[in-house]
């Protein structure tokens, strides 16, 4: 089961390639953020949300609405740091694998 319209939990296991892709993308962004030398005012928010994304992926049942919310918070916290854009796009692409939330 992917996700229903209400954004209920997505049934996944550790072997689910979507979960693996999400964990890889989150790990990459976390590494790149940790290595980024600039002082970012909302770095702690980005770190917290990336940790939350990783935890959701580890449970194997990420909730689509929560994934999207975390992505929005991370993107907002990182602002326009162009050096982190490729890794942030990879996280977004990994979240997109779980489906889209209807508008």
């Amino acid at each position: 089961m992917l996700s229903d319209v209400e954004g209920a939990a997505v049934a996944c296991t550790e072997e689910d390639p979507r979960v693996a892709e999400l964990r890889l993308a989150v790990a990459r962004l976390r590494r790149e953020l940790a290595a980024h030398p600039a002082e970012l005012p909302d770095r702690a928010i980005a770190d917290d949300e990336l940790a939350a994304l990783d935890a959701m992926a580890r449970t194997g049942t990420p909730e689509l609405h929560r994934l999207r919310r975390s992505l929005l918070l991370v993107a907002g916290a990182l602002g326009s740091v162009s050096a982190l854009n490729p890794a942030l796009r990879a996280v977004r692409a990994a979240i997109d694998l779980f489906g889209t939330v209807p508008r």
Side-chain angles (χ1 to χ4, degrees), residues 2-5 7 64-65 68 95-103:
L2 286 174
S3 174
D4 67 13
V5 188
L64 188 55
H65 284 291
R68 296 273 180 210
I95 290 172
D96 285 346
L97 295 174
F98 289 92
T100 58
V101 177
R103 291 182 179 222

Side-chain angles (χ1 to χ4, degrees), residues 5-74:
V5 188
E6 300 300 321
V10 178
C12 302
T13 65
E14 287 290 26
E15 287 73 37
D16 188 328
R18 298 171 303 166
V19 171
E21 188 68 27
L22 178 60
R23 291 188 66 206
L24 286 171
V26 167
R28 174 184 171 199
L29 183 53
R30 289 177 92 178
R31 281 191 312 273
E32 291 186 19
L33 179 58
H36 191 68
E39 188 66 33
L40 303 173
D42 293 328
R43 182 185 292 257
I45 293 169
D47 284 331
D48 289 348
E49 288 304 316
L50 288 169
L53 283 168
D54 184 57
M56 283 185 273
R58 288 179 187 274
T59 66
T61 55
E63 182 182 317
L64 188 55
H65 284 291
R66 181 68 176 108
L67 291 173
R68 296 273 180 210
R69 181 181 180 277
S70 290
L71 176 62
L72 181 61
L73 289 170
V74 170

